[in-house]
Amino acid sequence: MSILIKNGYVIYGENLDVMKADIYIEDNKITKIGKNLNISADYVIDAKGKVVSPGFINLHTHSPMGLFRGLADDLPLMDWLKHHIWPKEAKLTREYTKAGAYLGALEMIKTGTTAFLDMYFYMDAVAEVVLESGLRGYLSYGMIDLGEPDKTEKEIKVALETMKFIEKLSSERVQFVFGPHAPYTCSIALLKKVRELANEHKKLITIHVAETMTEIGQITSRYGKSPVVLLDDIGFLADDVIIAHGVWLDSKDIHILARHRVSIAHNPASNMKLASGVMPIERLLNAGVNVGLGTDGSASNNNLDMLEEMKIAALLHKVHNLDPTVADAKTVFKMATQNGAKALRLDAGVIKKGALADLVIIDFNQPHLRPINNVISHLVYSANGNDVETTIVDGKILMLDREVFTLDEEKTLEKAEEVVEKLAG
Ligand SMILES: N[C@@H](CCSC[C@H]1O[C@@H](n2cnc3c(=O)[nH]cnc32)[C@H](O)[C@@H]1O)C(=O)O
Ligand SMILES: [Zn+2]
């Protein structure tokens, strides 16, 4: 299949140069970019007055958690998890989780996310949804053993079964990732086993680390060191690890993360909503750490809108540092696109010849996005996910002019309501 996108403002290359150009897509790759391309294509999209951007990469989420949107707000993390979310999750079945995953996938397509890194239960069901939706999913089964050896075995077994299930799908778009939940919910034995398995099967690892001060207190009193030093001491850290949050990091921690080329998924909305704290963005970027952007789940955000997340990231770090030059628009835009791709080892996040055709078209023919003085600024500070009009992943059109082709919108919304009624009953 081929697609020609004409007359748009293209955000080109790693440096985000905005230029008027046409883009030609063949199969799943961008094969030509230039002025007035005169080529015939299966689909021709007129993007006049619109912006063609790399698709957004959500580097940390729990996609089915949209089911719990608005059911437990205004609480700190440990209280939120232990007394509200975990009891609800205990009632989840495969079917319910799948309904949540459909809702999440639909929201991501409609707000311009093209790839996401997920951690949840029933990830085989989530994998089926990813396959059907056309998105790119990096899926981890969240492992929690709370130091019980039986549970360690069980969690590893489920993770390996999930890995096998995903590998059998043999789709480049669906990838398995190891997902030990956090240093405060996983034993050292589990973490060490995950490191071994990730080496053996050449898979990425994602884990929540240094999210709250409570966590730092718990890990320090249990092990006498910070979560990052602990992970380093057991040989867990490497360039295949993506830690979510990284809010409470001292200079030593940052140095360790940089040395091992660990990536971080920054989740500013979740960190603000749960009042977890503020990630030291400048110190991390100055140390050369790769920082991507994530929304976290919809029960702590409360949506999956990466455009909104960019604005929140930019504003948070400015006010926190009392310095408006921190987290400028370009830096934040790169976090939401190319840095996420780098963490996932994905040849996307940048529009250039030869890259995967994962891109979105944003409708700038609207008053809040005019005049077009600065495209990147508008995307970070003025736009939101609903301005995304067309979403293309792997060279396939998932949404055109806001009509989603791969999922049934009405059924997806209805099913989510049904599940929530059942969970309450
Ligand atoms: N096998 C595990 C499932 C863990 S999935 C990942 C978990 O992370 C939880 N979660 C969501 N957001 C956050 C966060 O910000 N920090 C820590 N955990 C979170 C989520 O609710 C879910 O329980 C079990 O038996 O409980
Ligand atoms: Zn999370």
Side-chain angles (χ1 to χ4, degrees):
M1 200 179 79
S2 58
I3 306 170
L4 181 63
I5 305 172
K6 294 212 51 97
N7 308 318
Y9 294 93
V10 175
I11 301 173
Y12 178 77
E14 278 85 3
N15 293 328
L16 313 179
D17 299 320
V18 177
M19 56 187 207
K20 271 197 174 167
D22 300 344
I23 296 184
Y24 189 57
I25 297 168
E26 284 173 286
D27 297 323
N28 67 342
K29 295 218 166 76
I30 298 168
T31 52
K32 284 193 182 70
I33 302 173
K35 300 236 185 265
N36 306 316
L37 294 182
N38 259 326
I39 318 170
S40 64
D42 299 326
Y43 286 89
V44 179
I45 301 173
D46 185 14
K48 187 163 184 291
K50 300 174 185 177
V51 168
V52 189
S53 164
F56 301 103
I57 298 178
N58 190 340
L59 202 57
H60 178 71
T61 189
H62 310 273
S63 69
M65 288 188 83
L67 293 174
F68 307 131
R69 196 191 321 269
L71 292 183
D73 295 322
D74 313 321
L75 297 161
L77 176 73
M78 299 298 175
D79 185 11
W80 177 78
L81 278 177
K82 283 191 188 154
H83 303 120
H84 298 268
I85 297 299
W86 286 342
K88 286 188 178 59
E89 288 178 340
K91 294 201 221 165
L92 284 178
T93 62
R94 187 180 194 277
E95 183 203 342
Y96 296 173
T97 306
K98 194 166 180 178
Y102 273 119
L103 184 67
L106 181 61
E107 187 184 349
M108 286 190 269
I109 293 172
K110 294 204 80 169
T111 53
T113 288
T114 49
F116 67 108
L117 174 53
D118 212 21
M119 180 198 283
Y120 216 56
F121 326 74
Y122 301 111
M123 295 310 284
D124 53 330
V126 179
E128 288 173 353
V129 173
V130 172
L131 207 60
E132 197 181 323
S133 69
L135 286 166
R136 248 180 239 291
Y138 286 73
L139 310 180
S140 71
Y141 166 70
M143 293 182 258
I144 294 183
D145 70 348
L146 300 171
E148 299 160 28
D150 290 358
K151 202 83 208 290
T152 316
E153 295 285 308
K154 209 185 117 226
E155 292 292 76
I156 285 167
K157 193 163 159 263
V158 180
L160 291 175
E161 281 165 6
T162 308
M163 181 176 81
K164 276 202 197 110
F165 183 92
I166 290 175
E167 286 186 341
K168 259 210 197 122
L169 299 174
S170 19
S171 165
E172 277 292 310
R173 283 195 292 103
V174 194
Q175 298 288 338
F176 173 80
V177 174
F178 283 100
H181 175 262
Y184 58 91
T185 46
C186 294
S187 63
I188 299 293
L190 175 58
L191 295 170
K192 281 187 170 168
K193 188 71 193 167
V194 166
R195 167 40 67 206
E196 268 173 40
L197 289 167
N199 290 350
E200 184 185 335
H201 299 282
K202 300 196 170 38
K203 302 291 180 195
L204 299 172
I205 303 174
T206 191
I207 178 169
H208 296 95
V209 178
E211 182 174 2
T212 61
M213 264 203 281
T214 312
E215 171 186 344
I216 304 298
Q218 276 179 5
I219 296 297
T220 313
S221 63
R222 205 184 295 171
Y223 301 106
K225 46 186 111 167
S226 77
V228 170
V229 172
L230 172 71
L231 293 174
D232 187 25
D233 284 354
I234 63 167
F236 184 87
L237 298 176
D239 65 356
D240 54 5
V241 176
I242 300 162
I243 72 169
H245 303 297
V247 170
W248 295 98
L249 301 170
D250 62 20
S251 313
K252 189 174 170 194
D253 295 331
I254 292 173
H255 181 74
I256 291 171
L257 295 173
R259 184 158 51 82
H260 290 291
R261 298 184 192 285
V262 169
S263 287
I264 298 194
H266 178 34
N267 306 279
S270 170
N271 296 159
M272 291 168 80
K273 185 159 185 277
L274 300 166
S276 302
V278 183
M279 188 193 76
I281 195 165
E282 278 221 297
R283 290 196 290 139
L284 284 164
L285 293 176
N286 289 341
V289 176
N290 181 46
V291 181
L293 196 65
T295 58
D296 213 344
S298 279
S300 60
N301 185 301
N302 287 1
N303 62 40
L304 305 175
D305 184 341
M306 287 290 287
L307 283 134
E308 195 181 280
E309 202 69 30
M310 288 197 289
K311 180 167 182 173
I312 292 170
L315 300 190
L316 168 63
H317 295 291
K318 291 175 200 310
V319 72
H320 180 70
N321 291 285
L322 295 180
D323 179 356
T325 66
V326 177
D328 61 278
K330 269 197 170 184
T331 300
V332 172
F333 188 86
K334 287 179 182 176
M335 286 167 54
T337 53
Q338 54 193 260
N339 295 6
K342 188 176 168 204
L344 297 174
R345 302 175 175 179
L346 181 63
D347 190 11
V350 175
I351 296 185
K352 62 179 178 189
K353 198 177 153 191
L356 289 166
D358 288 13
L359 41 87
V360 298
I361 302 174
I362 295 142
D363 183 10
F364 269 49
N365 295 314
Q366 305 184 79
H368 66 291
L369 299 173
R370 290 291 174 137
I372 306 182
N373 293 325
N374 185 332
V375 165
I376 302 297
S377 164
H378 286 10
L379 287 173
V380 173
Y381 296 119
S382 315
N384 67 67
N386 298 330
D387 299 323
V388 175
E389 198 181 64
T390 293
T391 301
I392 297 173
V393 177
D394 213 32
K396 305 244 162 35
I397 301 173
L398 311 190
M399 176 172 79
L400 183 68
D401 296 334
R402 291 213 60 77
E403 187 192 341
V404 176
F405 294 150
T406 49
L407 301 175
D408 184 328
E409 281 202 54
E410 210 180 300
K411 248 172 65 187
T412 300
L413 302 187
E414 253 171 41
K415 183 78 194 173
E417 294 298 339
E418 268 174 44
V419 166
V420 168
E421 266 170 42
K422 284 187 195 153
L423 282 173

